[in-house]
Amino acid sequence: MRTCSPESIAIVKATAPAIEQHGVTITTAMYRRLFQNQEVAAMFDKAAQESGEQPKRLAAAILAYSKNIDKLQNLGPAVNRMVARHVETGVKAEHYPLVAEALLPAVREVLGEDVATDEVLAAWGEAYWMLADILIAAEQEEYEKRAA
């Protein structure tokens, strides 16, 4: 499992106000990028996208993560719900790089290069992969349970 350096944790926490203010714009831009892959787009509830509910939910999750990255135990119930939803919709480990490739550029697109510097994006990259590893492991466990 990957971890996040103390410096990256500090950067992620420091960007929480920007995530709070621009989170839905970021996640909307991320989904626009992600859904260029039709196979991935088909995994999502189209109505939740069109209503804006999915970008709002993801923005709230990213904000909670940015505020609690140093207290992951606070996110247990939310992570469990996310794992269950991911397993229901067939999310696999190979989907995580696609999300990273859509999310990090969306952060820069929305916040601009002055805020979303290379250092900030690197910190968020570390944070993303730390959480992704947690989710991937939990989802694999759940897939194995359901297969048994």
Side-chain angles (χ1 to χ4, degrees), residues 14-92:
T15 59
I19 298 300
E20 189 160 23
Q21 185 176 358
H22 302 286
V24 174
T25 306
I26 291 168
T27 57
T28 300
M30 184 218 71
Y31 282 122
R32 187 174 57 249
R33 290 172 182 273
L34 185 64
F35 291 167
Q36 290 175 11
N37 180 322
Q38 294 302 308
E39 185 180 313
V40 173
M43 297 172 72
F44 285 81
D45 177 351
K46 193 169 173 81
Q49 285 299 325
E50 290 171 356
S51 71
E53 188 57 35
Q54 181 64 36
K56 284 180 197 167
R57 279 195 305 250
L58 181 57
I62 293 170
L63 177 61
Y65 183 52
S66 68
K67 289 181 173 181
N68 291 281
I69 190 167
D70 56 345
K71 301 179 287 277
L72 294 179
Q73 67 276 9
N74 293 348
L75 301 175
V79 167
N80 292 338
R81 284 190 303 276
M82 197 177 298
V83 166
R85 182 70 180 141
H86 283 180
V87 171
E88 287 170 15
T89 58
V91 171
K92 300 275 196 271

Side-chain angles (χ1 to χ4, degrees), residues 117-145:
T117 62
D118 290 347
E119 183 182 34
V120 167
L121 290 185
W124 269 100
E126 274 187 41
Y128 174 82
W129 284 110
M130 182 173 78
L131 180 58
D133 284 351
I134 291 167
L135 293 171
I136 289 166
E139 289 160 9
Q140 184 58 41
E141 253 182 58
E142 188 60 28
Y143 281 122
E144 288 170 7
K145 277 186 207 170

